[in-house]
Short mmCIF file of all heavy atoms in Angstrom, two decimals:
data_model
loop_
_atom_site.label_atom_id
_atom_site.label_comp_id
_atom_site.label_asym_id
_atom_site.label_seq_id
_atom_site.Cartn_x
_atom_site.Cartn_y
_atom_site.Cartn_z
N ARG A 1 141.86 27.83 320.28
CA ARG A 1 142.36 28.78 319.29
C ARG A 1 141.62 28.55 317.97
O ARG A 1 140.83 27.61 317.86
CB ARG A 1 143.87 28.62 319.11
CG ARG A 1 144.32 27.20 318.78
CD ARG A 1 145.83 27.10 318.78
NE ARG A 1 146.32 25.73 318.69
CZ ARG A 1 146.51 25.06 317.57
NH1 ARG A 1 146.23 25.65 316.40
NH2 ARG A 1 146.98 23.82 317.58
N PRO A 2 141.82 29.41 316.97
CA PRO A 2 141.09 29.28 315.70
C PRO A 2 141.28 27.92 315.02
O PRO A 2 142.33 27.29 315.14
CB PRO A 2 141.68 30.40 314.84
CG PRO A 2 142.11 31.43 315.84
CD PRO A 2 142.64 30.64 317.01
N VAL A 3 140.24 27.47 314.34
CA VAL A 3 140.24 26.20 313.62
C VAL A 3 140.12 26.49 312.13
O VAL A 3 139.36 27.38 311.71
CB VAL A 3 139.05 25.32 314.07
CG1 VAL A 3 138.96 24.05 313.22
CG2 VAL A 3 139.17 24.98 315.55
N THR A 4 140.87 25.76 311.33
CA THR A 4 140.81 25.91 309.87
C THR A 4 140.05 24.74 309.26
O THR A 4 140.34 23.58 309.56
CB THR A 4 142.23 25.97 309.26
OG1 THR A 4 142.90 27.13 309.75
CG2 THR A 4 142.15 26.05 307.73
N VAL A 5 139.10 25.06 308.41
CA VAL A 5 138.35 24.04 307.67
C VAL A 5 138.78 24.13 306.21
O VAL A 5 138.55 25.14 305.55
CB VAL A 5 136.83 24.26 307.78
CG1 VAL A 5 136.09 23.32 306.84
CG2 VAL A 5 136.38 24.03 309.22
N VAL A 6 139.45 23.11 305.73
CA VAL A 6 139.91 23.08 304.35
C VAL A 6 138.78 22.63 303.44
O VAL A 6 138.13 21.61 303.69
CB VAL A 6 141.12 22.13 304.19
CG1 VAL A 6 141.54 22.02 302.72
CG2 VAL A 6 142.28 22.60 305.05
N VAL A 7 138.54 23.41 302.40
CA VAL A 7 137.58 23.04 301.35
C VAL A 7 138.38 22.89 300.06
O VAL A 7 138.94 23.86 299.56
CB VAL A 7 136.50 24.13 301.18
CG1 VAL A 7 135.65 23.86 299.94
CG2 VAL A 7 135.60 24.18 302.41
N PRO A 8 138.46 21.67 299.52
CA PRO A 8 139.32 21.44 298.35
C PRO A 8 138.66 21.78 297.01
O PRO A 8 139.09 21.29 295.98
CB PRO A 8 139.64 19.95 298.44
CG PRO A 8 138.47 19.36 299.12
CD PRO A 8 137.95 20.40 300.06
N GLN A 9 137.65 22.64 297.06
CA GLN A 9 137.00 23.13 295.84
C GLN A 9 136.97 24.65 295.89
O GLN A 9 137.15 25.26 296.95
CB GLN A 9 135.58 22.57 295.70
CG GLN A 9 135.49 21.07 295.44
CD GLN A 9 135.59 20.25 296.71
OE1 GLN A 9 135.32 20.74 297.80
NE2 GLN A 9 135.96 18.99 296.57
N ALA A 10 136.72 25.26 294.73
CA ALA A 10 136.72 26.72 294.65
C ALA A 10 135.49 27.31 295.34
O ALA A 10 134.48 26.63 295.55
CB ALA A 10 136.75 27.15 293.18
N ALA A 11 135.58 28.58 295.68
CA ALA A 11 134.44 29.29 296.27
C ALA A 11 133.29 29.33 295.26
O ALA A 11 133.51 29.40 294.06
CB ALA A 11 134.86 30.70 296.66
N GLY A 12 132.07 29.27 295.79
CA GLY A 12 130.90 29.38 294.93
C GLY A 12 130.20 28.07 294.65
O GLY A 12 129.07 28.06 294.18
N GLY A 13 130.87 26.95 294.92
CA GLY A 13 130.27 25.65 294.69
C GLY A 13 129.54 25.14 295.92
O GLY A 13 129.49 25.79 296.97
N ALA A 14 128.95 23.94 295.80
CA ALA A 14 128.16 23.38 296.89
C ALA A 14 128.97 23.16 298.16
O ALA A 14 128.54 23.52 299.26
CB ALA A 14 127.53 22.07 296.44
N ASN A 15 130.16 22.54 298.02
CA ASN A 15 130.95 22.23 299.20
C ASN A 15 131.35 23.49 299.96
O ASN A 15 131.30 23.54 301.19
CB ASN A 15 132.19 21.43 298.80
CG ASN A 15 132.84 20.71 299.97
OD1 ASN A 15 132.16 20.34 300.90
ND2 ASN A 15 134.14 20.55 299.92
N ASP A 16 131.74 24.51 299.22
CA ASP A 16 132.14 25.77 299.83
C ASP A 16 130.97 26.40 300.58
O ASP A 16 131.10 26.84 301.72
CB ASP A 16 132.65 26.72 298.74
CG ASP A 16 132.98 28.10 299.28
OD1 ASP A 16 133.97 28.23 300.03
OD2 ASP A 16 132.24 29.06 298.97
N ALA A 17 129.79 26.42 299.94
CA ALA A 17 128.61 27.04 300.55
C ALA A 17 128.21 26.31 301.82
O ALA A 17 127.92 26.93 302.85
CB ALA A 17 127.45 27.04 299.55
N ILE A 18 128.20 24.98 301.78
CA ILE A 18 127.84 24.18 302.95
C ILE A 18 128.86 24.38 304.07
O ILE A 18 128.50 24.57 305.23
CB ILE A 18 127.74 22.70 302.56
CG1 ILE A 18 126.53 22.48 301.64
CG2 ILE A 18 127.64 21.81 303.80
CD1 ILE A 18 126.52 21.14 300.95
N ALA A 19 130.14 24.35 303.72
CA ALA A 19 131.20 24.51 304.73
C ALA A 19 131.07 25.85 305.44
O ALA A 19 131.28 25.93 306.66
CB ALA A 19 132.57 24.39 304.06
N ARG A 20 130.72 26.90 304.72
CA ARG A 20 130.63 28.23 305.33
C ARG A 20 129.43 28.34 306.28
O ARG A 20 129.52 29.01 307.32
CB ARG A 20 130.59 29.31 304.25
CG ARG A 20 131.92 29.42 303.53
CD ARG A 20 131.97 30.49 302.45
NE ARG A 20 133.23 30.38 301.72
CZ ARG A 20 134.39 30.89 302.16
NH1 ARG A 20 134.42 31.57 303.28
NH2 ARG A 20 135.49 30.72 301.44
N VAL A 21 128.34 27.69 305.94
CA VAL A 21 127.18 27.66 306.85
C VAL A 21 127.56 26.95 308.15
O VAL A 21 127.28 27.44 309.25
CB VAL A 21 125.98 26.97 306.19
CG1 VAL A 21 124.86 26.77 307.20
CG2 VAL A 21 125.48 27.77 305.00
N ILE A 22 128.21 25.79 308.01
CA ILE A 22 128.60 25.00 309.18
C ILE A 22 129.66 25.73 310.01
O ILE A 22 129.59 25.77 311.25
CB ILE A 22 129.15 23.62 308.74
CG1 ILE A 22 128.09 22.83 307.95
CG2 ILE A 22 129.64 22.83 309.95
CD1 ILE A 22 126.84 22.52 308.72
N ALA A 23 130.65 26.31 309.32
CA ALA A 23 131.75 26.98 310.03
C ALA A 23 131.24 28.17 310.85
O ALA A 23 131.70 28.40 311.98
CB ALA A 23 132.80 27.45 309.02
N GLN A 24 130.31 28.91 310.29
CA GLN A 24 129.78 30.07 311.01
C GLN A 24 129.10 29.65 312.31
O GLN A 24 129.30 30.27 313.37
CB GLN A 24 128.79 30.83 310.14
CG GLN A 24 128.19 32.06 310.82
CD GLN A 24 127.20 32.81 309.95
OE1 GLN A 24 127.16 32.63 308.74
NE2 GLN A 24 126.39 33.65 310.55
N LYS A 25 128.32 28.58 312.24
CA LYS A 25 127.61 28.12 313.44
C LYS A 25 128.57 27.50 314.46
O LYS A 25 128.41 27.68 315.68
CB LYS A 25 126.53 27.11 313.04
CG LYS A 25 125.53 26.85 314.16
CD LYS A 25 124.74 28.12 314.50
CE LYS A 25 123.74 27.85 315.62
NZ LYS A 25 123.04 29.10 316.02
N LEU A 26 129.58 26.74 313.97
CA LEU A 26 130.58 26.19 314.89
C LEU A 26 131.34 27.31 315.59
O LEU A 26 131.66 27.20 316.79
CB LEU A 26 131.56 25.29 314.13
CG LEU A 26 131.11 23.88 313.78
CD1 LEU A 26 132.20 23.17 312.98
CD2 LEU A 26 130.79 23.08 315.05
N SER A 27 131.63 28.37 314.87
CA SER A 27 132.34 29.51 315.45
C SER A 27 131.54 30.11 316.60
O SER A 27 132.09 30.44 317.66
CB SER A 27 132.60 30.56 314.37
OG SER A 27 133.31 31.65 314.90
N GLU A 28 130.23 30.22 316.40
CA GLU A 28 129.37 30.74 317.47
C GLU A 28 129.34 29.78 318.66
O GLU A 28 129.39 30.21 319.81
CB GLU A 28 127.94 30.93 316.92
CG GLU A 28 127.82 31.98 315.83
CD GLU A 28 126.43 31.99 315.20
OE1 GLU A 28 125.52 31.30 315.73
OE2 GLU A 28 126.25 32.67 314.17
N LEU A 29 129.28 28.50 318.36
CA LEU A 29 129.19 27.49 319.42
C LEU A 29 130.49 27.40 320.22
O LEU A 29 130.47 27.26 321.44
CB LEU A 29 128.87 26.13 318.78
CG LEU A 29 128.64 24.94 319.72
CD1 LEU A 29 127.39 25.18 320.58
CD2 LEU A 29 128.48 23.66 318.92
N TRP A 30 131.62 27.51 319.54
CA TRP A 30 132.92 27.33 320.18
C TRP A 30 133.51 28.62 320.74
O TRP A 30 134.41 28.57 321.57
CB TRP A 30 133.91 26.73 319.18
CG TRP A 30 133.65 25.28 318.85
CD1 TRP A 30 132.89 24.41 319.57
CD2 TRP A 30 134.17 24.55 317.74
NE1 TRP A 30 132.89 23.17 318.97
CE2 TRP A 30 133.67 23.22 317.85
CE3 TRP A 30 135.00 24.86 316.66
CZ2 TRP A 30 133.98 22.23 316.92
CZ3 TRP A 30 135.32 23.88 315.73
CH2 TRP A 30 134.81 22.57 315.86
N GLY A 31 133.02 29.75 320.26
CA GLY A 31 133.62 31.00 320.69
C GLY A 31 135.01 31.20 320.12
O GLY A 31 135.84 31.92 320.68
N GLN A 32 135.28 30.53 319.00
CA GLN A 32 136.57 30.64 318.31
C GLN A 32 136.31 30.82 316.81
O GLN A 32 135.31 30.33 316.28
CB GLN A 32 137.42 29.38 318.51
CG GLN A 32 137.90 29.15 319.93
CD GLN A 32 139.01 30.12 320.34
OE1 GLN A 32 139.58 30.81 319.51
NE2 GLN A 32 139.31 30.16 321.64
N THR A 33 137.23 31.50 316.14
CA THR A 33 137.11 31.66 314.69
C THR A 33 137.27 30.32 314.00
O THR A 33 138.19 29.55 314.31
CB THR A 33 138.20 32.63 314.17
OG1 THR A 33 138.02 33.90 314.78
CG2 THR A 33 138.11 32.78 312.65
N VAL A 34 136.36 30.01 313.09
CA VAL A 34 136.46 28.82 312.26
C VAL A 34 136.60 29.31 310.82
O VAL A 34 135.65 29.80 310.23
CB VAL A 34 135.24 27.89 312.42
CG1 VAL A 34 135.40 26.66 311.52
CG2 VAL A 34 135.07 27.47 313.87
N LEU A 35 137.82 29.22 310.32
CA LEU A 35 138.16 29.81 309.02
C LEU A 35 138.02 28.77 307.91
O LEU A 35 138.58 27.67 307.99
CB LEU A 35 139.60 30.33 309.05
CG LEU A 35 140.18 30.86 307.73
CD1 LEU A 35 139.48 32.15 307.33
CD2 LEU A 35 141.68 31.09 307.87
N VAL A 36 137.29 29.11 306.85
CA VAL A 36 137.19 28.25 305.67
C VAL A 36 138.31 28.63 304.71
O VAL A 36 138.43 29.79 304.31
CB VAL A 36 135.83 28.39 304.98
CG1 VAL A 36 135.81 27.60 303.67
CG2 VAL A 36 134.73 27.89 305.90
N GLU A 37 139.14 27.66 304.36
CA GLU A 37 140.28 27.89 303.46
C GLU A 37 140.10 27.06 302.19
O GLU A 37 140.15 25.84 302.23
CB GLU A 37 141.57 27.50 304.17
CG GLU A 37 142.83 27.75 303.35
CD GLU A 37 144.10 27.42 304.13
OE1 GLU A 37 144.17 27.77 305.32
OE2 GLU A 37 144.99 26.78 303.54
N ASN A 38 139.87 27.73 301.07
CA ASN A 38 139.72 27.04 299.79
C ASN A 38 141.07 26.67 299.22
O ASN A 38 141.96 27.52 299.10
CB ASN A 38 138.97 27.92 298.79
CG ASN A 38 137.55 28.24 299.23
OD1 ASN A 38 137.32 29.23 299.91
ND2 ASN A 38 136.62 27.40 298.85
N ARG A 39 141.23 25.40 298.88
CA ARG A 39 142.45 24.90 298.24
C ARG A 39 142.07 24.03 297.04
O ARG A 39 142.20 22.80 297.10
CB ARG A 39 143.32 24.13 299.23
CG ARG A 39 144.06 25.01 300.22
CD ARG A 39 144.95 24.21 301.15
NE ARG A 39 145.78 25.07 301.96
CZ ARG A 39 147.03 25.43 301.68
NH1 ARG A 39 147.59 24.99 300.56
NH2 ARG A 39 147.71 26.22 302.47
N PRO A 40 141.55 24.65 295.98
CA PRO A 40 141.10 23.87 294.83
C PRO A 40 142.26 23.38 293.97
O PRO A 40 143.40 23.82 294.13
CB PRO A 40 140.24 24.88 294.05
CG PRO A 40 140.86 26.21 294.37
CD PRO A 40 141.33 26.10 295.80
N GLY A 41 141.94 22.46 293.08
CA GLY A 41 142.94 21.95 292.15
C GLY A 41 142.83 20.46 291.98
O GLY A 41 142.56 19.73 292.94
N ALA A 42 143.00 19.99 290.74
CA ALA A 42 142.99 18.55 290.42
C ALA A 42 141.73 17.86 290.92
O ALA A 42 141.77 16.79 291.51
CB ALA A 42 144.23 17.86 290.97
N GLY A 43 140.58 18.53 290.69
CA GLY A 43 139.32 17.93 291.06
C GLY A 43 139.12 17.72 292.55
O GLY A 43 138.31 16.90 292.97
N GLY A 44 139.85 18.47 293.37
CA GLY A 44 139.75 18.34 294.82
C GLY A 44 140.93 17.63 295.45
O GLY A 44 141.06 17.60 296.67
N ASN A 45 141.82 17.07 294.62
CA ASN A 45 142.95 16.31 295.16
C ASN A 45 143.94 17.19 295.93
O ASN A 45 144.51 16.77 296.94
CB ASN A 45 143.71 15.60 294.04
CG ASN A 45 142.93 14.43 293.47
OD1 ASN A 45 142.00 13.93 294.09
ND2 ASN A 45 143.29 14.02 292.27
N VAL A 46 144.16 18.40 295.44
CA VAL A 46 145.17 19.28 296.06
C VAL A 46 144.81 19.57 297.51
O VAL A 46 145.61 19.38 298.43
CB VAL A 46 145.31 20.59 295.25
CG1 VAL A 46 146.20 21.58 296.02
CG2 VAL A 46 145.90 20.32 293.88
#
């Protein structure tokens, strides 16, 4: 079933960009949706 990848920084930064590249390829490899979910706040702590 679908997998969620939590990114604890806002969209547009390095971590978000890297996560989206990886998630897209994993989705193709697994045949399942790999969703990137941004949860920023407190410097990544949230």
Side-chain angles (χ1 to χ4, degrees):
R1 53 187 171 86
V3 174
T4 297
V5 172
V6 176
V7 170
Q9 292 83 22
N15 197 30
D16 175 70
I18 291 167
R20 291 181 187 279
V21 172
I22 300 299
Q24 180 180 343
K25 194 63 180 176
L26 281 177
S27 181
E28 295 172 9
L29 184 64
W30 288 342
Q32 293 287 347
T33 299
V34 180
L35 174 69
V36 174
E37 182 177 317
N38 297 90
R39 285 182 172 266
N45 289 341
V46 171

